[in-house]
Amino acid sequence: DAGITQSPRHKVTETGTPVTLRCHQTENHRYMYWYRQDPGHGLRLIHYSYGVKDTDKGEVSDGYSVSRSKTEDFLLTLESATSSQTSVYFCAIGQGAREQYFGPGTRLTVT
Amino acid sequence: EDQVTQSPEALRLQEGESSSLNCSYTVSGLRGLFWYRQDPGKGPEFLFTLYSAGEEKEKERLKATLTKKESFLHITAPKPEDSATYLCAVHPNTGNQFYFGTGTSLTVIP
């Protein structure tokens, strides 16, 4: 398995609270990605990073921010959680145009 | 607009009954097409990368092929342990994003 961990693995939070999800890799891959997976939508890209402090938006970035201060860590923050952000969140790592490797996921429920 | 469509949405096979999954795509230019397997409650697991039309890759009972508009994942003599959701993704020539299909849920019945 590629060395990717996500924390927490499960979280229940209330509407309006900030939430931070963490992705940690031990593979020294340049690219890191955050996706959400919802029934009927498949995996959708939220944000990605192509280096330390270098990030860009994906197709569903509204309401999310990210930070990458070290090669190995990529944080996803929900600034003010809403029920529509209830989802399973996956982190992935890669080397650009090549395949991605995914973490185990975080199941987030916003009540 | 870059798009990926997978069919069928769900497929039930008897053990040993071969079949194919389809991934059709619309991109301005293809840098790579990827197949993943996803088991319930887990992250997608990488299977294959295809870069150009005519390319084929094989692994055990799975074979992936690519044309200019679609890719097929052929499953030969499947076993119950092949039951999973199979995802297809494309990486267009422009930008750094990958686009995923919604997957085919495969169930192999003993």
Side-chain angles (χ1 to χ4, degrees), chain A residues 8-53:
Chain A
R9 295 293 315 280
H10 302 271
K11 186 170 183 67
V12 179
T13 192
E14 293 184 349
T15 299
T17 59
V19 176
T20 296
L21 308 183
R22 180 180 183 243
C23 177
H24 179 77
Q25 64 151 327
T26 58
E27 304 297 319
N28 201 35
H29 283 210
R30 178 184 175 192
Y31 286 79
M32 298 185 76
Y33 307 81
W34 277 108
Y35 290 89
R36 61 178 289 174
Q37 188 173 41
D38 305 288
H41 288 279
L43 283 158
R44 292 181 291 173
L45 183 66
I46 304 171
H47 283 280
Y48 68 96
S49 168
Y50 48 97
V52 174
K53 296 186 180 178

Side-chain angles (χ1 to χ4, degrees), chain A residues 61-88:
Chain A
S61 60
D62 288 348
Y64 301 95
S65 61
V66 290
S67 65
R68 191 171 178 198
S69 58
K70 297 186 290 185
T71 299
E72 56 267 35
D73 290 325
F74 192 33
L75 303 180
L76 175 70
T77 297
L78 287 64
E79 294 142 7
S80 178
T82 68
S83 58
S84 64
Q85 294 175 312
T86 292
S87 186
V88 180

Side-chain angles (χ1 to χ4, degrees), chain B residues 9-39:
Chain B
E9 287 187 17
L11 182 63
R12 289 173 64 90
L13 299 173
Q14 290 292 134
E15 185 172 1
E17 180 187 2
S18 301
S19 188
S20 297
L21 314 182
N22 177 264
C23 171
S24 62
Y25 61 92
T26 305
V27 293
S28 53
L30 182 69
R31 194 178 295 179
L33 185 141
F34 307 86
W35 282 98
Y36 292 85
R37 169 192 171 124
Q38 186 174 23
D39 293 300

